[in-house]
Amino acid sequence: MRYLKFFGIVLVVIFFMYDVNPIYADDIFEGKDEYDYEDNGRQQHEEGRYEDIGELIGWCTFIGIGAAGMIFPIRTFMKSVIRTFPQSKGLYLSAAKLIGRYHILIGTMALLLGIGHGLIMYFNEGELENEGIIGLIAIILLSITAIAGMNFFNYRKNRSLRTIHISIAALSVIAGGIHIFIS
């Protein structure tokens, strides 16, 4: 719960960082001064500001998914890396423990950030276009990944849940990559 409060505080700070300075450099080039907001100039800047916040949250989602997904290659290649570089065993094991400890938290934050990114971009644009539909598919797959991961956490003996969790996560990453490429 402590991490969730910290996450909320960070989002509020990011949101207000974009609201501090409503005067933009391109106002000078359009022949406007800082007090001229008559012909919809301010509304265009506000829409751009929310789009920037949405894009920032989208990139944070991408980083979160990457950080949560690092558990797979680290655990997969652990034995071969330790055999090849025995002097790095302590560092590698501590990194694996750190990522394993926070995997669920990072994955949950990535899912929440992805939902927030989708909502902000949808309300900013007012419609769901092709890249939005693909992003929605990626978030739905990520939600299914989270559900399979929760079930795998509760029933660790069932290895098929691990396979489902990893497979759907890979599909989600592919859909997210297509979403980023199209956007």
Side-chain angles (χ1 to χ4, degrees), residues 70-101 162:
M70 286 302 297
I71 195 169
F72 180 71
I74 284 180
R75 287 189 178 169
T76 302
F77 301 117
M78 183 180 293
K79 290 180 183 176
S80 63
V81 169
I82 290 174
R83 259 187 267 124
T84 307
F85 304 106
Q87 67 275 12
S88 66
K89 180 179 180 179
L91 178 67
Y92 196 80
L93 288 177
S94 63
K97 286 180 184 178
L98 180 71
I99 290 175
R101 184 179 303 135
R162 180 179 185 268

Side-chain angles (χ1 to χ4, degrees), residues 128-149:
L128 196 62
E129 297 174 348
N130 291 339
E131 69 269 2
I133 293 170
I134 294 172
L136 181 62
I137 291 169
I139 290 299
I140 290 170
L141 289 171
L142 195 61
S143 301
I144 295 170
T145 301
I147 292 169

Side-chain angles (χ1 to χ4, degrees), residues 19-41:
D19 201 30
V20 171
N21 189 5
I23 301 170
Y24 297 92
D26 61 343
D27 289 342
I28 296 169
F29 297 112
E30 294 174 358
K32 300 178 184 177
D33 61 4
E34 61 186 72
Y35 302 107
D36 185 17
Y37 294 118
E38 292 296 318
D39 57 27
N40 208 10

Side-chain angles (χ1 to χ4, degrees), residues 145-161:
T145 301
I147 292 169
M150 286 187 305
N151 286 329
F152 175 61
F153 182 75
N154 292 329
Y155 306 106
R156 290 198 186 258
K157 300 213 186 269
N158 191 350
R159 291 294 182 184
S160 63
L161 286 173

Side-chain angles (χ1 to χ4, degrees), residues 37-50:
Y37 294 118
E38 292 296 318
D39 57 27
N40 208 10
R42 182 180 175 125
Q43 183 179 2
Q44 291 173 354
H45 288 304
E46 286 179 2
E47 289 175 3
R49 178 175 52 231
Y50 294 120

